[in-house]
């Protein structure tokens, strides 16, 4: 895979994750923060403090800004 395309796809995924966690933490406050794939036995997760979720949202948006093109091609 072309490295530029890979960076763009990862940036898009980071933006989408930040968007949906933004919606969740805004509506519900503390929510489970899942950053890896889980096996079925791990599906029941505890809540993560909202401050940690906001920090992850900021990190995801920073990553997206660094890897997405400034304009659509």
């Amino acid at each position: 895979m072309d490295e530029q395309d890979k960076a763009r796809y990862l940036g898009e995924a980071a933006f989408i994750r930040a968007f949906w966690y933004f919606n969740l933490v805004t509506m519900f406050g503390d929510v489970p923060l899942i950053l890896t794939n889980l096996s079925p036995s791990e599906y029941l997760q505890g809540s993560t403090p909202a401050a940690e979720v906001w920090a992850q949202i900021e990190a995801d948006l920073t990553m997206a800004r660094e890897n997405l093109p400034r304009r659509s091609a």
Side-chain angles (χ1 to χ4, degrees):
M1 175 182 282
D2 179 38
E3 288 300 317
Q4 189 175 15
D5 286 342
K6 181 180 177 181
R8 180 178 174 192
Y9 297 147
L10 290 173
E12 290 172 355
F15 175 81
I16 291 168
R17 181 170 66 187
F19 175 75
W20 287 112
Y21 269 111
F22 171 83
N23 286 335
L24 285 170
V25 79
T26 300
M27 293 179 70
F28 301 110
D30 296 348
V31 295
L33 180 63
I34 310 296
L35 302 175
T36 60
N37 294 330
L38 301 176
S39 66
S41 64
E42 299 174 308
Y43 285 168
L44 185 59
Q45 295 286 312
S47 294
T48 304
E52 290 181 37
V53 179
W54 284 112
Q56 183 61 47
I57 291 169
E58 185 176 348
D60 284 345
L61 291 175
T62 300
M63 190 269 208
R65 182 182 63 208
E66 293 169 355
N67 290 299
L68 290 174
R70 293 189 51 84
R71 291 188 193 225
S72 298

